[in-house]
Amino acid sequence: MTNLQRKTELKTQLAASQNQIKSLLGDKERAFRFLAASLIVGSDHALNTCSTDSVVGALVGIAQLDLNPDKNIGHAYLIPYKGRCQLQVGYKGLIQLLYRAGWMVKAYPVYLNDEFSISFDGWDNQVTFVPDIDNREDDDNNWVYQNLRGVYVIARNSETGDEYSDFVTKKLIEKNRLKSPNQKNPNKPEDVWADWYAEMARKTAIKKLAKMLPLGDSKAMTAITMDDKAQIGEKIDYKQTAEQGIVIEAEQEKADVVDLDSIANAA
């Protein structure tokens, strides 16, 4: 399929989903802007191995969460996996969703050369954090991977002032990374983790803390569930999920049934 043919097919499928996207976003002009951005995002050559139907489905998933599809914004990313497109919510997208749910969230990567300590008396945490800014090389992904100690994350409710916090160690972050089927090497991050290790570590920490928060039936909780399933390689039907409001797995492709009796008779 040529690039022109693929773009034409993508346009056709986006047009078929535009009513659903308009309904999800609740505003005609916003929907048009979203569709225009989706055509650019969906035409990324990195997604050429993905079916256009799965690309549009993932874009509908982004519309359901009311996030920006532009990967430069950092709300969400479209990731190719085994011929399909997966939606991965970025840490900035999680922060946005949690903010809408009434929680302000901050996440700080902590490196081995930083001064960091934490203690608690059962309720209140006492945290000392002095980042060694002059000696950090956090623009070097390999340095980040080798020197990350963990991520300190804190959430505060905008109405009640209640706070939740956690320090998520690199060991836990790595355990989470290796759940992904495209992360086979325990000593070397691959794919998006190789390019954005600090950002993925932040996301892991935020998601872990978010599961402790009283979120109720919110888009943030839907995003976390979708992201958990996508992370371990499960297929999600984003269009059905958007329609029904709960995360629905896509039907598995059925393998051809072999009639053993016929083979035996033929022999």
Side-chain angles (χ1 to χ4, degrees):
M1 183 185 296
T2 66
N3 288 337
L4 180 59
Q5 289 172 324
R6 183 173 175 81
K7 193 167 186 177
T8 300
E9 185 176 319
L10 186 62
K11 281 183 179 178
T12 301
Q13 295 203 25
L14 280 171
S17 297
Q18 65 177 326
N19 288 336
Q20 185 179 28
I21 291 172
K22 287 178 187 177
S23 176
L24 290 168
L25 296 179
D27 181 272
K28 185 177 179 180
E29 292 302 319
R30 290 185 65 221
F32 283 156
R33 290 196 296 271
F34 184 92
L35 287 164
S38 293
L39 183 59
I40 296 172
V41 173
S43 300
D44 191 325
H45 66 86
L47 301 175
N48 284 349
T49 59
C50 303
S51 66
T52 52
D53 180 65
S54 69
V55 172
V56 173
L59 288 163
V60 169
I62 296 176
Q64 180 192 4
L65 300 175
D66 195 6
L67 295 176
N68 195 313
D70 185 346
K71 64 182 180 181
N72 295 312
I73 302 297
H75 281 183
Y77 302 92
L78 301 184
I79 307 296
Y81 177 69
K82 290 187 176 181
R84 292 181 60 84
C85 179
Q86 287 184 332
L87 165 59
Q88 285 192 3
V89 179
Y91 85 91
K92 292 180 181 178
L94 279 178
I95 288 176
Q96 178 76 358
L97 291 167
L98 289 168
Y99 180 78
R100 294 175 191 164
W103 292 92
M104 299 177 289
V105 179
K106 293 183 178 181
Y108 302 96
V110 179
Y111 297 99
L112 295 175
N113 57 325
D114 294 331
E115 179 185 340
F116 180 84
S117 65
I118 182 170
S119 61
F120 64 96
D121 60 8
W123 288 105
D124 297 322
N125 290 342
Q126 300 295 323
V127 178
T128 299
F129 179 38
V130 183
D132 185 8
I133 295 174
D134 292 335
N135 292 303
R136 282 186 175 192
E137 298 179 31
D138 44 6
D139 59 341
D140 182 335
N141 288 315
N142 185 59
W143 185 92
V144 168
Y145 173 67
Q146 295 296 333
N147 289 274
L148 186 74
R149 183 179 175 187
V151 176
Y152 178 67
V153 58
I154 184 168
R156 176 183 294 169
N157 189 281
S158 57
E159 293 185 1
T160 66
D162 291 344
E163 287 189 355
Y164 289 72
S165 63
D166 197 6
F167 181 76
V168 182
T169 65
K170 182 182 178 182
K171 184 176 181 179
L172 284 175
I173 290 167
E174 280 292 281
K175 183 177 180 180
N176 179 78
R177 175 178 74 84
L178 292 171
K179 289 180 181 178
S180 176
N182 64 0
Q183 298 292 315
K184 302 296 185 183
N185 192 332
N187 300 310
K188 184 179 179 181
E190 301 167 90
D191 200 48
V192 66
W193 280 88
D195 296 329
W196 303 99
Y197 192 84
E199 287 76 6
M200 294 298 289
R202 279 182 173 179
K203 171 185 167 180
T204 300
I206 292 170
K207 195 161 67 166
K208 183 176 182 296
L209 182 65
K211 291 177 181 180
M212 299 166 55
L213 303 178
L215 294 175
D217 185 16
S218 66
K219 288 183 179 180
M221 201 66 247
T222 300
I224 290 168
T225 304
M226 287 197 301
D227 200 75
D228 280 345
K229 289 182 177 293
Q231 181 184 351
I232 60 175
E234 291 187 11
K235 297 177 182 178
I236 300 171
D237 189 328
Y238 295 103
K239 294 179 183 179
Q240 287 293 317
T241 293
E243 285 180 5
Q244 299 190 28
I246 57 174
V247 179
I248 297 176
E249 294 177 25
E251 292 185 8
Q252 298 295 319
E253 297 176 1
K254 296 180 180 179
D256 293 336
V257 177
V258 179
D259 188 339
L260 297 180
D261 290 334
S262 297
I263 294 174
N265 292 334

